[in-house]
Amino acid sequence: MVGIVGKPNTGKSTFFSAATLAPAEIANYPFTTIKPNRGVGYIRSPCVCTEFGVKDTPVNSLCLDGKRLIPVELIDCAGLVPGAWQGRGLGNQFLDEIRKADALIHIVDAAGATDSEGRIVKPGSHDPLEDVKFLETEITMWMAQILRKDWPKLARTAESGAQDIIGLVENQFSGLAIKRTHIMEALKKTELNEDKPTTWSEEDLLKFLGELRRVAKPMIIAANKIDLSPAEENVERLRGLNQLVIQCCAEAELALRRAAEKGLIDYKPGDCNFKIMKPDEITEAQSKALKTIQEMVLLKFGTTGVQEAINTAYFKLLNMIVVYPVEDVERLSNHNGRVLPDAYVVPYGTTARQLAYTVHTELGEGFIYAVEAREKKRIGENHVLKDRDVVSIVSAKKRG
Ligand SMILES: Nc1nc2c(ncn2[C@@H]2O[C@H](COP(=O)(O)OP(=O)(O)OP(=O)(O)O)[C@@H](O)[C@H]2O)c(=O)[nH]1
Ligand SMILES: [Mg+2]
């Protein structure tokens, strides 16, 4: 699950609505969103149907003109203001919403048209770099609050040898989608003495949590409101922070998706242009708005950035790949004859057997071997899958 986060009034709900076409309240003032919105967005990957020269009949995903759209869960969070970890604004409620997030898309008002609390100001008068720093601090401080209350006890337990510090920290953060490997990586990066946690200073602890946040809640920056003039300059400055930055115009994507839904235009999420399908049904105002989007966003920046942000979160931050399990390796179909029915999004490093388990527990338990459809070669249980692999799993147990 990916969380859409940021201070109030930056366009989080606009981004979410555009990505999911789910209704979400959008307004030009802070704290429009109070309760989080959950919805299904899509990652986009070139479908293997073209390469295999087959006409597919997807079940768990969509295929539009050779582009596979695979559903992923998105959550639109309430706005976060400085001091939220101490309860300011909607405070910890926001932070609790990101507990289960594996990665975050930080929607930044790159035009600097809102202050640190989301109030409207003259474009260019607020520095969006401050927003990036503040959000990172808020999340780190929230984590610190969770860890700190039991820290002296945890540190002593670890030093007594009763339990290792990794397991203790993992326990303390249970429910926050923080894994053992994340904690190990953060410890390694900070080079703190994990055998002597009682000697860690407050500064050490925060340094450790800063790293843990970076690995366990990785974040990309969606530099939104790129259509407003001071944004471009700020995008360059944001890139200087050495983070993944995607230029974005959520408002344009929402307009395009809505027009496409009505059949007025042919536009798929992530496309670099659109085609007008029903010229007679488009009003003059709509036509003008579409033209503006084309000129000011698509031709200038390539895409609206919304799809790119979601793809980047899954493929670059989370290192996911897409794989296509099939039953019949000749026809590339399932038992109902559906061709390339499912596309699974799994972490890079997933083995053939792990994929079998993901599809169905029994398929994993009875795993004998798998067949890779391109070379028609047998692969063993420990074979690591590649992006866009098509595999058929042969199992002693049938799917239940
Ligand atoms: N110019 C411009 N305005 C945008 C863009 N995206 C969103 N907006 C506007 O920004 C304002 C805030 O949008 P919301 O989506 O409600 O923002 P939010 O971040 O969800 O706000 P809260 O729920 O209050 O935290 C609205 O007036 C949107 O129309 C964009 O790409 N460009
Ligand atoms: Mg909102």
Side-chain angles (χ1 to χ4, degrees):
M1 197 256 281
V2 164
I4 300 166
V5 299
K7 72 178 185 186
N9 220 356
T10 58
K12 297 180 295 301
S13 298
T14 310
F15 183 103
F16 171 84
S17 298
T20 60
L21 283 185
E25 203 174 337
I26 296 168
N28 198 8
Y29 48 78
F31 297 122
T32 305
T33 306
I34 297 173
K35 287 251 151 49
N37 300 299
R38 280 169 183 275
V40 173
Y42 296 89
I43 60 174
R44 170 174 163 156
S45 169
C47 185
V48 293
C49 68
T50 326
E51 183 193 333
F52 281 91
V54 294
K55 169 95 194 71
D56 56 355
T57 39
V59 177
N60 86 338
S61 41
L62 305 167
C63 181
L64 300 177
D65 294 339
K67 275 84 182 179
R68 197 47 92 111
L69 299 174
I70 310 153
V72 289
E73 200 188 347
L74 297 177
I75 177 163
D76 168 31
C77 298
L80 187 71
V81 293
W85 67 276
Q86 293 161 307
R88 278 200 70 229
L90 298 172
N92 284 330
Q93 183 193 320
F94 157 90
L95 292 160
D96 281 343
E97 290 164 13
I98 63 163
R99 291 179 94 90
K100 293 206 182 79
D102 303 304
L104 305 172
I105 298 178
H106 183 184
I107 312 284
V108 173
D109 174 354
T114 41
D115 70 10
S116 62
E117 315 240 325
R119 289 177 294 245
I120 306 269
V121 293
K122 201 167 121 267
S125 62
H126 179 78
D127 185 358
L129 269 69
E130 276 176 32
D131 299 341
V132 174
K133 216 165 139 205
F134 121 81
L135 195 92
E136 292 177 350
T137 309
E138 285 302 318
I139 299 174
T140 307
M141 293 312 284
W142 166 68
M143 289 168 68
Q145 202 176 31
I146 296 170
L147 188 62
R148 217 189 255 129
K149 60 180 195 308
D150 295 322
W151 179 249
K153 202 174 89 205
L154 297 179
R156 281 197 307 272
T157 311
E159 282 192 22
S160 75
Q163 254 180 300
D164 73 344
I165 192 70
I166 300 167
L168 290 162
V169 172
E170 191 187 11
N171 259 344
Q172 193 76 2
F173 284 132
S174 73
L176 261 72
I178 294 177
K179 299 193 187 97
R180 211 180 151 80
T181 50
H182 294 146
I183 300 167
M184 283 158 74
E185 195 177 328
L187 280 170
K188 195 165 155 223
K189 282 202 175 132
T190 43
E191 294 180 345
L192 289 164
N193 185 347
E194 57 185 277
D195 299 323
K196 289 251 173 287
T198 58
T199 63
W200 294 10
S201 65
E202 172 72 13
E203 205 181 309
D204 291 339
L205 196 64
L206 288 178
K207 203 167 93 184
F208 165 66
L209 289 171
E211 278 305 329
L212 186 57
R213 176 190 57 71
R214 254 188 289 277
V215 291
K217 303 280 174 199
M219 188 147 66
I220 57 163
I221 297 171
N224 196 34
K225 307 193 186 176
I226 191 76
D227 53 303
L228 300 178
S229 69
E232 266 180 275
E233 210 174 291
N234 283 330
V235 168
E236 285 317 309
R237 295 178 54 242
L238 285 164
R239 290 216 163 104
L241 295 175
N242 224 356
Q243 303 208 31
L244 282 167
V245 179
I246 312 288
Q247 320 189 82
C248 195
C249 184
E251 207 163 57
E253 178 72 10
L254 184 58
L256 292 172
R257 290 286 304 269
R258 286 191 173 150
E261 198 190 24
K262 290 194 194 110
L264 299 176
I265 60 170
D266 176 17
Y267 173 78
K268 291 174 289 304
D271 278 357
C272 55
N273 211 341
F274 59 84
K275 210 164 73 205
I276 294 193
M277 302 304 281
K278 295 181 180 165
D280 307 340
E281 289 177 32
I282 293 182
T283 64
E284 204 165 312
Q286 278 171 328
S287 162
K288 211 168 137 207
L290 286 169
K291 207 160 171 191
T292 308
I293 290 174
Q294 199 165 37
E295 277 168 16
M296 303 305 290
V297 182
L298 297 176
L299 291 176
K300 214 162 147 197
F301 303 108
T303 68
T304 69
V306 170
Q307 186 61 56
E308 198 184 337
I310 298 171
N311 269 28
T312 306
Y314 278 91
F315 292 130
K316 294 217 175 118
L317 281 186
L318 295 173
N319 227 347
M320 303 301 254
I321 58 169
V322 176
V323 289
Y324 298 77
V326 295
E327 285 176 45
D328 183 328
V329 79
E330 297 298 330
R331 295 201 179 104
L332 308 180
S333 64
N334 67 5
H335 55 278
N336 293 325
R338 306 280 297 238
V339 177
L340 296 170
D342 300 329
Y344 279 68
V345 182
V346 296
Y348 175 72
T350 297
T351 62
R353 186 164 204 164
Q354 282 166 340
L355 174 69
Y357 269 110
T358 308
V359 175
H360 202 279
T361 313
E362 275 153 29
L363 208 60
E365 283 170 356
F367 184 96
I368 306 172
Y369 64 91
V371 181
E372 186 280 310
R374 276 192 188 83
E375 312 257 321
K376 303 260 187 319
K377 265 220 301 262
R378 263 191 195 209
I379 53 179
E381 60 177 344
N382 294 324
H383 179 96
V384 173
L385 301 171
K386 291 191 308 297
D387 188 35
R388 303 173 68 241
D389 265 352
V390 181
V391 287
S392 165
I393 294 150
V394 178
S395 173
K397 288 190 184 179
K398 280 270 169 250
R399 292 169 72 173

